[in-house]
């Protein structure tokens, strides 16, 4: 190696610049996200990354139960936003998530959604069992909480036995919505948060189902143990619980749990 002083100076500058580039590279946060949260989460991500440009959120969307199984099998997520609060609680019980990190971020709401040109008026629930509905889409109740809520609502309305043979199941509630949007189904029981998305509002109409017809859809989030030491993960965890995060959830039709113990701003 050269002994010239200028060479050592140049080498030091290059190392310093390389260190700066590494420091400026965004820290990635991998988030497992229930599919009903897709549009709301994209809005959350845009607001969050505008405030924290050195943190990049990388969401993976799916049915809450499927994501839960992936996490049990060691999927490398840092945060988990579930449409069923029971799944994050089970991760805590299994030692896979941080006990103190659990919070209920929203209450989901169920609607019937039809394309804009549908002959259905949605004035009566009886229309779902009528001759104009050949296929009725909902999320698979085996692993999607909105699917379980949809089945419960249909039973409470006295419709389930009459429409059972018409049901088509999406792997998650977003896929159920896509079935209707694409014409593969005539109507769908989907999340209000999806029906509120701008592109869905342009393409269809919805009517909320009576909340007393299905169990409360309590939605919860948790930090995984593998990410407990990462400050950027907790930064987003706090952001969702603050007024700016809650405002996004409210915008997309989520009912918000009573806030009595939120992280300080």
């Amino acid at each position: 190696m050269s002994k010239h002083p200028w060479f050592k100076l140049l080498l030091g500058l290059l190392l310093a610049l390389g260190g700066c580039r590494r420091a400026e590279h965004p820290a990635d946060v991998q988030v497992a996200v229930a599919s009903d949260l897709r549009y709301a989460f994209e809005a959350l991500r845009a607001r969050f990354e505008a405030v924290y440009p050195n943190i990049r959120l990388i969401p993976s969307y799916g049915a809450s139960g499927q994501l839960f199984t992936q996490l049990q099998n060691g999927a490398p997520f840092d945060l988990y936003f579930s449409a069923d609060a029971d799944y994050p609680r089970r991760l805590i019980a299994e030692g896979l998530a941080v006990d103190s990190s659990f919070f209920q971020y929203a209450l989901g709401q169920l609607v019937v959604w039809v394309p804009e040109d549908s002959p259905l008026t949605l004035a009566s629930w009886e229309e779902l069992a009528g001759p104009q509905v050949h296929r009725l889409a909902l999320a698979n109740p085996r692993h999607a909480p909105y699917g379980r809520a949809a089945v419960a609502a249909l039973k409470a309305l006295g419709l389930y036995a009459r429409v059972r043979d018409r049901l088509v199941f999406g792997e998650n509630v977003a896929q159920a919505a896509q079935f209707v949007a694409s014409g593969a189904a005539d109507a769908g029981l989907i999340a209000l948060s999806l029906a509120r998305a701008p592109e869905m509002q342009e393409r269809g109409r919805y009517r909320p189902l009576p909340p007393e017809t299905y169990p409360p859809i309590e939605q919860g989030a948790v930090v995984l143990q593998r990410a407990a030491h990462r400050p950027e993960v907790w930064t987003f965890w706090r952001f969702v619980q603050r007024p700016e995060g809650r405002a996004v959830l409210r915008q997309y039709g989520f009912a918000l749990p009573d806030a009595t113990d939120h992280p300080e701003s």
Side-chain angles (χ1 to χ4, degrees):
M1 182 181 291
S2 172
K3 298 183 183 297
H4 292 294
W6 63 265
F7 181 84
K8 292 182 179 179
L9 178 61
L10 179 61
L11 180 61
L13 287 171
L14 289 172
L15 289 172
L17 287 172
C20 288
R21 280 193 293 271
R22 283 192 297 272
E24 292 171 359
H25 189 277
D28 291 345
V29 176
Q30 303 283 344
V31 192
V33 186
S35 60
D36 74 300
L37 198 59
R38 177 184 295 271
Y39 295 104
F41 192 89
E42 291 300 325
L44 280 169
R45 178 166 70 162
R47 290 198 187 188
F48 176 77
E49 292 181 355
V51 178
Y52 301 96
N54 288 330
I55 304 175
R56 182 172 60 182
L57 302 176
I58 303 178
S60 294
Y61 299 104
S64 297
Q66 290 178 328
L67 293 171
F68 170 74
T69 300
Q70 291 176 29
L71 288 163
Q72 285 184 307
N73 292 326
F77 293 111
D78 302 308
L79 278 157
Y80 174 40
F81 283 79
S82 171
D84 184 342
D86 185 54
Y87 288 128
R89 291 189 179 106
R90 288 169 63 183
L91 290 177
I92 290 171
E94 295 177 19
L96 297 174
V98 180
D99 190 350
S100 60
S101 70
F102 174 84
F103 70 98
Q104 184 181 326
Y105 63 85
L107 287 166
Q109 300 184 69
L110 192 64
V111 305
V112 174
W113 189 86
V114 296
E116 189 61 47
D117 61 356
S118 171
L120 300 177
T121 67
L122 301 183
S124 169
W125 303 121
E126 285 292 317
E127 287 185 281
L128 297 178
Q132 294 171 320
V133 177
H134 302 286
R135 297 181 186 86
L136 180 61
L138 58 148
N140 192 325
R142 288 184 300 170
H143 44 241
Y146 278 92
R148 293 192 288 273
V151 170
L154 289 171
K155 289 180 177 179
L157 294 169
L159 299 173
Y160 183 75
R162 297 157 63 190
V163 302
R164 181 186 307 172
D165 294 339
R166 310 180 193 184
L167 299 181
V168 291
F169 299 106
E171 282 303 299
N172 52 62
V173 72
Q175 188 176 66
Q178 183 57 35
F179 285 166
V180 188
S182 67
D186 303 294
L189 276 63
I190 68 169
L192 174 60
S193 57
L194 297 178
R196 280 275 189 92
E199 67 181 70
M200 294 288 284
Q201 292 196 72
E202 292 174 0
R203 302 173 67 179
R205 299 174 280 115
Y206 68 87
R207 179 186 175 190
L209 281 154
E212 65 271 17
T213 62
Y214 57 91
I217 306 174
E218 298 179 348
Q219 309 201 187
V222 75
V223 174
L224 281 301
Q225 284 287 3
R226 66 184 299 275
H229 65 287
R230 300 187 60 199
E232 58 271 19
V233 172
W234 294 100
T235 298
F236 182 62
W237 179 85
R238 287 189 291 270
F239 179 86
V240 177
Q241 298 175 74
R242 291 175 179 164
E244 56 266 48
R246 289 168 60 82
V248 172
L249 295 172
R250 187 180 294 110
Q251 174 188 346
Y252 280 85
F254 287 104
L256 302 182
D258 188 28
T260 57
D261 185 22
H262 291 296
E264 297 180 0
S265 299

